[in-house]
Amino acid sequence: MELSQLRTLIHVAELGSLSKAADRIGIAQPALSRQIRMLEEELSVRLFTRHGRGMVLTDKGREILEHATRVMTELEEIRATASDLDAPLRGRISIGFPPTVADILSLPLVAAFRRTHPQVELRLVGAYTGHLLDWLHRGEIDVAILYDPNSARSLRSEPLLLENLFLIGPPDSGLSGERSIPFKDLDGKRILLPSTRHGLRTIVEQCAVEAGIALHIAIEADSYATLKDLVRHGHGWTILPLSPIHDDIAAGRLAAAPLIDPAPVRQLVLSYPADRPVSRLTRFAGETIADIVADHVERKVWPGRLLGRGQVRTP
Amino acid sequence: MELSQLRTLIHVAELGSLSKAADRIGIAQPALSRQIRMLEEELSVRLFTRHGRGMVLTDKGREILEHATRVMTELEEIRATASDLDAPLRGRISIGFPPTVADILSLPLVAAFRRTHPQVELRLVGAYTGHLLDWLHRGEIDVAILYDPNSARSLRSEPLLLENLFLIGPPDSGLSGERSIPFKDLDGKRILLPSTRHGLRTIVEQCAVEAGIALHIAIEADSYATLKDLVRHGHGWTILPLSPIHDDIAAGRLAAAPLIDPAPVRQLVLSYPADRPVSRLTRFAGETIADIVADHVERKVWPGRLLGRGQVRTP
DNA sequence: GAACAGATATAACTATATTGTATATCTCGA
DNA sequence: TCGAGATATACAATATAGTTATATCTGTTC
């Protein structure tokens, strides 16, 4: 196995054609044909099926492609380590967030890029996890923060945060950050939540089961703004992360209290595609996001628990 | 950059000598000298310092070595994917655990290996995190479960579990799994804990600060068995994970209750060395441990919250 | 159905890269 | 000081990769 063979695999997989890959790489097509054949012989596996107009990866070929792209990522990391790239990164990156996360991270992330890599063109995309997953797979975004997509197709995800969810009520509800509410106390209360296809709803329903109560879901609304408004006007209570409620609490429009026994939480992960090499720009973005999240949690601006690797990160 | 150069880098780094590496690899020493030199020229970096009797990695060389070992790991994964190795793994592996974790995982882990890879020689090593870290770095163990070593030197860690800690009392203490105890209620109680260098102690003290109380540490003992005995004989209460207490509770010797507001938890991670390629045997062990932990948490045998990647794992 | 275009695979040859051999040079230990 | 162990360089030998030529196949168009 040689690096040139893995590079050829990657190019041919992307272009679907030895001839196009030859044009791209600047090497004669028969040389690429031979490289692929020798790789297939060494591994004793068919990487591509051939047809009259090109070639397509087999299932096994696709699996091997993922590892090949990781090899390329490690090689890029070797080069970057060797050169200690301090020159500002350039190029364009698309980063996806759930809307509430975008509210928290956008400004500090933009500030960090402006400070260290001003020539980078950022595209910040707010959408729900299902859409973000699609766009990651399609290559329309490079990296995304997602709520725990356990059944996600091939992604490489790093846990970021366990985010606490809070009970949100009107200002005269007596809810306070200083006094936790046992989940059982929600029995019989009018609760407003997003619809069943929303991950937050699933988490809250699991907590209700665990607490041994049935929730009275008075109204379903997928928009946090709508839920907030309804709560403000006394139509019931809701359960949301604290981050979109900060300003409302500070302005006396809403009140919030932690829930316990059980405490509803959800996991946020940072996800990259597994079938494309991850650029230095993308890795910088991921590291910067992780740093900002850590800072927010440590300053208790974002209530939750940091999750992370013991792995030392290069500065 | 070529794979042969990276392999040479790895061998020379390990043996400290081109001549020894030449013997090992079966290629003439001048060829290896030139490979290293060409790699250094391409990267514009010194990988080794030379002295009269061999050569030693520079700091930069060490960083690059880590990436090179990951390249080798990916290549091994490519070969394994290609061949769909179902043949039983062979060889020897050392796995480290904190003692209480060893109690939970040893039997099912041994059973899993016996069932799928009976020719593997397991060495299960119980020790505290500090020792396990040392042994991982020294190559004396291949993989370890650790309590969150955030300041650990270069390891590759994957979060496994947030483990809940419980209040442990004598059987007549009225403690029950059904009724959570607010942390504040520990104010004024006689508490028995491990010493300050024990990670659990740090977590509990942080919780006390958060609850706004001061803990009365009547006795310090690092042995869980000692703590249990002291509690049984009415010398106070302790705070431990539930797993070492299961049998004592079932036998009516001790009682336990969840703590809340805040709930003390600690993070377990699965750690591999970053400067050596991770063998398939080691990866199988890691995956098997993760599966067993997941099973225990799902059956509520091990109270806590699973942490994991969204990444699809090959079966 | 035939012709043509686009594609892959193979053979043979050429060019380039890598390895081996010989040996110079250096450092360290006895 | 000498010898052993080590690395570095020059040159020759060998192996590998790329190019050219061309056979073969498939799909599209007329």
Side-chain angles (χ1 to χ4, degrees), chain A residues 95-314:
Chain A
I95 306 173
F97 307 90
T100 51
V101 175
D103 290 344
I104 303 168
L105 296 186
S106 296
L107 285 179
L109 185 60
V110 168
F113 266 96
R114 270 193 183 282
R115 193 177 349 103
T116 56
H117 302 291
Q119 270 126 351
V120 169
E121 297 175 39
L122 286 173
R123 183 174 170 236
L124 307 182
V125 180
Y128 291 107
T129 294
H131 286 113
L132 294 176
L133 278 171
D134 259 7
W135 296 337
L136 261 181
H137 287 298
R138 288 207 212 128
E140 288 177 32
I141 56 180
D142 301 294
V143 56
I145 293 186
L146 303 172
Y147 287 108
D148 206 343
N150 282 323
S151 59
R153 304 200 295 277
S154 190
L155 290 178
R156 294 173 65 193
S157 299
E158 298 168 7
L160 268 181
L161 175 68
L162 279 180
E163 182 186 44
N164 291 105
L165 305 178
F166 285 72
L167 181 64
I168 313 296
D172 59 356
S173 58
L175 295 181
S176 156
E178 306 307 303
R179 191 167 54 81
S180 302
I181 305 296
F183 209 99
K184 276 181 167 50
D185 288 4
L186 303 187
D187 204 354
K189 298 292 194 292
R190 284 170 58 85
I191 303 295
L192 320 180
L193 286 179
S195 65
T196 54
R197 68 174 183 276
H198 205 294
L200 183 149
R201 171 69 177 267
T202 305
I203 292 167
V204 172
E205 287 180 337
Q206 279 165 352
C207 286
V209 167
E210 213 170 308
I213 65 170
L215 287 178
H216 174 208
I217 314 295
I219 297 170
E220 281 183 5
D222 280 342
S223 160
Y224 286 2
T226 301
L227 290 172
K228 289 200 284 177
D229 273 352
L230 291 167
V231 168
R232 246 177 91 217
H233 291 92
H235 292 286
W237 290 4
T238 189
I239 299 172
L240 295 177
L242 200 61
S243 44
I245 320 297
H246 258 301
D247 291 344
D248 299 277
I249 293 173
R253 290 192 291 270
L254 289 170
L259 280 162
I260 53 170
D261 209 17
V265 294
R266 59 182 181 176
Q267 186 174 221
L268 281 159
V269 299
L270 193 57
S271 292
Y272 307 89
D275 61 352
R276 303 196 300 277
V278 176
S279 69
R280 269 187 64 71
L281 183 46
T282 303
R283 280 201 300 287
F284 173 80
E287 289 167 11
T288 304
I289 288 167
D291 289 343
I292 295 170
V293 168
D295 178 61
H296 278 60
V297 171
E298 278 153 19
R299 290 194 283 112
K300 310 231 184 272
V301 171
W302 196 348
R305 177 184 181 93
L306 280 175
L307 304 172
R309 329 269 218 93
Q311 189 170 12
V312 175
R313 288 227 247 74
T314 54

Side-chain angles (χ1 to χ4, degrees), chain B residues 2 26-28 30-31 34-35 38 51-53:
Chain B
E2 296 296 339
I27 283 178
R34 187 139 147 286
Q35 281 179 352
M38 290 178 71
H51 52 89
R53 293 288 181 81

Side-chain angles (χ1 to χ4, degrees), chain A residues 17-19 29-30 33 37 50 52 55:
Chain A
S17 157
L18 284 166
S19 306
Q29 172 265 324
S33 177
R37 178 168 60 80
R50 277 80 160 167
M55 42 214 269

Side-chain angles (χ1 to χ4, degrees), chain B residues 221-298:
Chain B
D222 280 342
S223 161
Y224 286 3
T226 302
L227 289 172
K228 288 200 284 180
D229 273 351
L230 290 167
V231 169
R232 247 175 89 216
H233 292 91
H235 290 286
W237 291 3
T238 190
I239 301 172
L240 295 174
L242 201 60
S243 43
I245 322 296
H246 258 298
D247 290 344
D248 298 279
I249 293 172
R253 290 192 291 271
L254 289 172
L259 280 162
I260 54 171
D261 211 16
V265 294
R266 58 183 181 175
Q267 186 174 223
L268 281 160
V269 299
L270 193 54
S271 293
Y272 307 89
D275 62 353
R276 303 194 300 279
V278 177
S279 69
R280 270 187 63 73
L281 183 46
T282 303
R283 279 201 300 284
F284 173 81
E287 289 167 11
T288 305
I289 288 168
D291 290 343
I292 295 171
V293 168
D295 178 62
H296 279 60
V297 170
E298 279 153 19

Side-chain angles (χ1 to χ4, degrees), chain A residues 14-84:
Chain A
E14 181 189 333
L15 297 170
S17 157
L18 284 166
S19 306
K20 285 172 179 159
D23 282 346
R24 160 83 68 81
I25 297 172
I27 283 179
Q29 172 265 324
L32 302 192
S33 177
R34 187 140 137 267
Q35 281 179 350
I36 296 298
R37 178 168 60 80
M38 292 178 70
L39 186 56
E40 285 176 327
E41 282 174 6
E42 177 175 340
L43 298 176
S44 302
V45 92
R46 271 290 185 181
L47 299 170
F48 292 95
T49 55
R50 277 80 160 167
H51 53 88
R53 291 288 182 80
M55 42 214 269
V56 177
L57 279 171
T58 59
D59 289 341
K60 189 69 72 177
R62 201 168 297 114
E63 291 181 57
I64 289 172
L65 174 68
E66 289 192 16
H67 295 294
T69 63
R70 293 185 191 183
V71 170
M72 296 304 134
T73 300
E74 290 301 335
L75 295 182
E76 182 173 331
E77 200 60 36
I78 287 175
R79 291 190 189 95
T81 300
S83 64
D84 252 356

Side-chain angles (χ1 to χ4, degrees), chain B residues 155-212:
Chain B
L155 289 177
R156 295 174 64 195
S157 299
E158 298 168 6
L160 269 180
L161 174 68
L162 280 179
E163 182 185 44
N164 292 104
L165 303 177
F166 285 70
L167 181 63
I168 312 296
D172 59 356
S173 58
L175 294 181
S176 156
E178 307 306 306
R179 190 167 53 81
S180 301
I181 304 296
F183 208 98
K184 273 179 169 52
D185 289 4
L186 303 186
D187 203 355
K189 297 293 193 289
R190 284 170 57 87
I191 303 295
L192 321 180
L193 286 180
S195 67
T196 54
R197 68 174 185 275
H198 204 294
L200 182 149
R201 169 72 176 265
T202 305
I203 291 167
V204 171
E205 286 180 338
Q206 279 165 352
C207 287
V209 167
E210 213 170 310

